[in-house]
Amino acid sequence: QKRNNAEYQQELMKWKNSTPNNPNGANPNEIAQALVLQDEPSATINIDSKYLVTKDHTATDGSKYDTIDFSSAGNNQSGIIGTVTWTNFSHSFYTDENGVKHTISKEVLVLSDGRSTGATANKMLQSVHIFHDPVKFINYNCGEINTEIQFYDENGQLIDFSKTSAYISPMSLNGGRYDYMDNGVEKNAGNVFEACQVLAGGKAFAIAGSSVNLHDGNDFYADSDNQNKDWGSPYSLDEWDKTGSSMQYYGAGLIKLTGTKLSLHWHAHATSDLALQASRTERKDGVIDLNAFPDRSISGAWAELTTVIPQNGSIPQRKTTEAHYRYNKARKVYKNPNDIKKR
């Protein structure tokens, strides 16, 4: 075993010396997962909000979702947008510190502080789509939003994950350079990166080999383009940001749950407001014309959370360790939020 460990350490050092991103990040291949959130097609959803709620919209893949429209609060909505409660779970569970498996019976999500800034602020829908299946989570049509998540067991008790090995992963955090055309000349508007910040209830870890870095100890986003080979990314977006890809780790971070409530801040990290404009609008010949977009017409980003810890096959494996995981299949509904269509 000592020989195997020595060989493993040698191979691991060789891998780190090959200059991957986050070489000292968490090795996702060696993490035991105690939390499994699977598709819950029979889940019941209830939304409590002082804002306009419309129900039973259908996405292009057939998924059902409800919408909270908080545009009446303007561009700087403050406080609670709404409380979402999912019940009637059948497939999701966690394993406690004693090895006892518990069914998850309820998930409660509090949405708050849906804000948009910059030149595109009036153009944003200022709404949030909430999927009936909780594993698909939300699509936020504003510049930033906060989420608080709590889970309850089969006895209706709030689950404390502080003594368990429970992890959740924010995924699909892509971004990079955005250009626009000015009198036939392509110009660089700057960079925009999708981001997820841990506010409370979890400890953030960068994943070894992922393009997503950890900033200030709790904010996940990439520092360089991870979606377009023309702008320096070693991979194009469709190589890693899709269901079943062996490279989904490339756009993901990792959060260890440390209590009863996970608080996250979803936002965009932009190097300039012009870049933010370019990322949200169609670029045509000429400087970006925001007048071409009606107010409250631009959608936002998908906030994706999964308990499927994205594996990195390029990292050397321990020969003496055999790990068995039970994960739900990672699901990707859509990347472009504009693909959501009402029926």
Side-chain angles (χ1 to χ4, degrees):
Q1 183 172 349
K2 288 183 178 180
R3 179 179 177 180
N4 286 337
N5 286 337
E7 290 177 353
Y8 166 74
Q9 292 299 331
Q10 184 177 7
E11 290 299 314
L12 184 62
M13 186 58 63
K14 182 178 178 181
W15 177 83
K16 290 183 177 182
N17 290 337
S18 68
T19 64
N21 205 42
N22 290 311
N24 297 312
N27 184 345
N29 305 336
E30 297 191 346
I31 292 175
Q33 172 65 296
L35 175 64
V36 176
L37 302 178
Q38 303 201 72
D39 287 325
E40 296 290 352
S42 300
T44 301
I45 185 173
N46 181 73
I47 298 176
D48 180 19
S49 175
K50 65 180 180 181
Y51 299 109
L52 176 65
V53 178
T54 56
K55 297 179 177 294
D56 294 326
H57 305 295
T58 305
T60 54
D61 72 331
S63 301
K64 293 290 187 179
Y65 66 94
D66 296 348
T67 299
I68 305 176
D69 182 341
F70 53 89
S71 59
S72 60
N75 297 331
N76 291 295
Q77 187 278 335
S78 180
I80 294 177
I81 295 170
T83 300
V84 182
T85 304
W86 289 280
T87 53
N88 197 35
F89 285 44
S90 302
H91 309 294
S92 301
F93 63 90
Y94 86 101
T95 304
D96 66 21
E97 63 272 23
N98 298 314
V100 178
K101 180 179 173 181
H102 298 269
T103 300
I104 292 175
S105 64
K106 180 172 71 173
E107 178 179 349
V108 177
L109 166 68
V110 178
L111 299 154
S112 64
D113 301 322
R115 297 168 179 166
S116 296
T117 58
T120 56
N122 290 334
K123 309 298 179 180
M124 302 302 293
L125 285 169
Q126 289 296 100
S127 67
V128 58
H129 303 314
I130 307 105
F131 286 92
H132 290 190
D133 187 342
V135 79
K136 296 180 180 178
F137 208 46
I138 67 169
N139 174 259
Y140 64 102
N141 303 305
C142 50
E144 58 186 277
I145 198 169
N146 290 342
T147 60
E148 292 183 350
I149 309 166
Q150 293 179 305
F151 298 97
Y152 292 79
D153 66 17
E154 67 271 25
N155 298 314
Q157 298 297 310
L158 181 63
I159 300 172
D160 184 351
F161 292 106
S162 61
K163 295 181 180 180
T164 66
S165 178
Y167 291 82
I168 205 161
S169 176
M171 298 181 70
S172 186
L173 296 175
N174 65 287
R177 172 172 166 167
Y178 288 90
D179 284 15
Y180 67 97
M181 300 300 293
D182 185 2
N183 294 320
V185 178
E186 188 172 5
K187 294 185 177 181
N188 181 9
N191 297 328
V192 180
F193 302 97
E194 294 179 3
C196 176
Q197 182 181 19
V198 181
L199 300 179
K203 182 173 175 55
F205 296 92
I207 294 178
S210 171
S211 65
V212 175
N213 297 322
L214 195 57
H215 303 81
D216 300 321
N218 68 344
D219 203 1
F220 293 108
Y221 57 87
D223 287 322
S224 59
D225 196 298
N226 65 3
Q227 61 188 14
N228 192 324
K229 291 181 179 179
D230 291 339
W231 306 132
S233 175
Y235 308 106
S236 60
L237 186 64
D238 59 6
E239 288 183 85
W240 60 265
D241 193 25
K242 61 182 178 181
T243 300
S245 170
S246 61
M247 293 186 58
Q248 285 189 302
Y249 71 88
Y250 194 68
L254 190 64
I255 303 169
K256 185 180 189 302
L257 304 183
T258 59
T260 59
K261 180 190 298 182
L262 176 64
S263 300
L264 301 173
H265 174 60
W266 301 87
H267 63 111
H269 178 77
T271 57
S272 70
D273 187 61
L274 185 62
L276 202 57
Q277 294 176 48
S279 72
R280 291 175 173 169
T281 59
E282 296 178 5
R283 276 80 71 195
K284 298 180 180 180
D285 196 17
V287 177
I288 298 166
D289 181 12
L290 291 178
N291 292 324
F293 298 86
D295 287 354
R296 306 303 180 215
S297 67
I298 298 177
S299 56
W302 184 22
E304 182 180 4
L305 287 172
T306 180
T307 56
V308 181
I309 299 176
Q311 304 294 287
N312 185 346
S314 70
I315 301 177
Q317 303 278 344
R318 291 182 187 271
K319 294 181 180 179
T320 56
T321 300
E322 183 178 2
H324 298 276
Y325 302 100
R326 292 189 62 185
Y327 294 139
N328 58 300
K329 183 179 180 182
R331 299 186 62 87
K332 188 68 180 174
V333 183
Y334 53 84
K335 180 59 197 172
N336 184 349
N338 291 316
D339 287 343
I340 293 183
K341 295 180 181 178
K342 299 179 182 180
R343 293 179 182 171

